[in-house]
Amino acid sequence: MTRTRTRVAPPDQACVAAVDLARTAALELARPGEPGDHLGYESEGDRVVTHYFACRDRAYRGWRWAVTVTRASRAKVVTVSEAVLLPGAGALMAPEWLPWSERLRPGDLGVGDLLPTADDDDRLEPGFTDSGDDGDRQMLFEYGLGRARVLSAIGRDRAARRWHSGERGPHTPIAHAAPAQCSTCGFYLPLSGGMRQEFGVCANEYAPDDGKVVSADHGCGAHSEAAVMPPTVEPSSPILDDMGFDLIDDEAGSVDESASEELGHS
């Protein structure tokens, strides 16, 4: 068994010598002075050579101008085939493109923005249709009555993990310093359905999380039982013994009231 040898054509000398022609083509595309030193050439095939020039544009650090020249068979004139700007080793590249749905982050949605949801979103599942019975409507509301789709088990699990590990979960400084958990607070309104045991809404207007979903093991200083003060004790009236009295002898003073000596005052 013999191996097939691939013949590598030697670089065409006429194309190799066409450095000035390649530089002129690069100058036509770039701004004056941007194409720099000749970095070398590379043979692309029969009578096809690509010349490389340094790019001096500071916005394209590490890039290089690539100008491909060629000539027809038995022709002496070399012509330019194409000229492009290509990245070299260590070139400054743009980050890999991602679709908007993967670049979107919580908080990016602004006023007037619309966020469509894909039909195959695994966070949602089909809801139930309206049966027309008022009793069934009340019972099946939690399961998505009248809604095209509702949260699936995956969607609920992702939301629960996100909320529990967020700023209104148990692992925050304000929760660690709280006197008790939200589950024991009178302002804690539990959610309905499958989230009832884990999450609720704070209804204390003085709490930092008023109107927000908090975990049952979250907490803050505005707990309903944190400021319970002991009842005020009213002081009793003093007890006076008016049934008896003590006689106190008057002590003689240091001034003789019967004397007529002037005391130095009027």
Side-chain angles (χ1 to χ4, degrees):
M1 180 178 180
T2 58
R3 295 183 179 179
T4 303
R5 296 184 178 181
T6 303
R7 185 178 66 88
V8 178
D12 185 81
Q13 295 303 312
C15 294
V16 171
V19 176
D20 293 337
L21 176 65
R23 182 184 295 275
T24 301
L27 288 171
E28 292 179 359
L29 295 178
R31 290 180 295 184
E34 284 186 4
D37 299 334
H38 183 242
L39 301 178
Y41 65 88
E42 183 179 355
S43 178
E44 304 288 353
D46 293 339
R47 298 179 302 279
V48 180
V49 172
T50 298
H51 290 274
Y52 297 99
F53 300 90
C55 180
R56 296 177 178 174
D57 192 339
R58 291 181 296 178
Y60 289 88
R61 186 178 69 246
W63 290 62
R64 55 185 181 173
W65 288 101
V67 181
T68 303
V69 296
T70 185
R71 67 182 181 90
S73 178
R74 300 180 182 180
K76 297 182 179 181
V77 179
V78 178
T79 59
V80 175
S81 176
E82 62 178 350
V84 294
L85 187 62
L86 297 177
L92 181 63
M93 302 286 292
E96 183 180 357
W97 182 85
L98 292 175
W100 68 267
S101 58
E102 298 182 20
R103 298 195 306 266
L104 194 65
R105 293 293 179 267
D108 291 346
L109 198 66
V111 178
D113 295 338
L114 297 178
L115 179 59
T117 304
D119 294 337
D120 57 350
D121 194 324
D122 57 1
R123 298 173 301 171
L124 301 172
E125 61 185 10
F128 291 86
T129 57
D130 192 350
S131 62
D133 191 339
D134 293 340
D136 292 341
R137 179 181 293 113
Q138 183 67 24
M139 181 179 62
L140 296 177
F141 175 78
E142 175 62 29
Y143 298 99
L145 177 64
R147 290 180 287 169
R149 289 185 292 176
V150 295
L151 271 178
S152 63
I154 296 177
R156 287 194 299 270
D157 181 64
R158 290 181 182 177
R161 285 186 293 176
R162 186 172 62 252
W163 294 349
H164 196 264
S165 61
E167 297 180 357
R168 297 170 188 89
H171 309 298
T172 57
I174 192 172
H176 291 164
Q181 296 182 352
C182 289
S183 59
T184 61
C185 180
F187 298 103
Y188 179 76
L189 299 176
L191 296 181
S192 62
M195 294 287 199
R196 182 179 182 86
Q197 300 298 327
E198 299 181 69
F199 300 98
V201 177
C202 178
N204 189 345
E205 60 181 315
Y206 299 107
D209 298 322
D210 179 40
K212 299 179 176 64
V213 174
V214 295
S215 66
D217 48 0
H218 184 60
C220 72
H223 194 281
S224 61
E225 311 306 320
V228 175
M229 302 297 293
T232 303
V233 179
E234 297 183 0
S236 59
S237 303
I239 301 175
L240 300 178
D241 183 10
D242 55 359
M243 300 299 294
F245 58 89
D246 296 330
L247 295 177
I248 300 176
D249 297 334
D250 294 336
E251 297 181 357
S254 60
V255 179
D256 186 3
E257 297 180 355
S258 61
S260 60
E261 182 183 356
E262 294 182 1
L263 300 177
H265 58 80
S266 58

